[in-house]
Amino acid sequence: MLLERINLTRRVIAALSDALHLANGAGEHGMAADFYSLRDKAARDLNTTVERAFTNGAITDAEARSALRPIYGAQHEAVSARV
């Protein structure tokens, strides 16, 4: 259950990154600031969750490293596909 929560949070961060990119592209800077704030909060929550889980022995070192590896959003994937 903990790893599912961690992976879901990672996906939320990736989705918020996409939303931030789209809002900036559309000139919606107020909305982009909201998405940035939400993404930042989710990233901080993820870091705290992973740190506590690792410290308490609920996840392994490999699981912690994997949990903190970013899931890139569509913007990154589109750029990578063009290279």
Side-chain angles (χ1 to χ4, degrees):
M1 174 100 163
L2 177 63
L3 289 176
E4 289 89 3
R5 178 179 171 209
I6 288 170
N7 285 325
L8 179 59
T9 303
R10 292 175 69 224
R11 288 184 182 94
V12 166
I13 292 167
L16 288 168
S17 292
D18 287 346
L20 174 59
H21 171 70
L22 291 171
N24 276 326
E28 296 288 337
H29 301 294
M31 189 175 284
D34 292 341
F35 288 134
Y36 178 86
S37 177
L38 290 169
R39 185 185 69 179
D40 185 61
K41 181 183 181 326
R44 289 175 189 270
D45 289 347
L46 174 65
N47 189 50
T48 299
T49 299
V50 171
E51 186 177 293
R52 286 181 183 162
F54 179 71
T55 300
N56 293 333
I59 61 174
T60 66
D61 181 57
E63 289 170 329
R65 279 187 274 119
S66 176
L68 295 176
R69 188 175 313 126
I71 295 177
Y72 292 105
Q75 173 194 7
H76 179 272
E77 298 304 322
V79 170
S80 296
R82 283 186 254 146
V83 174

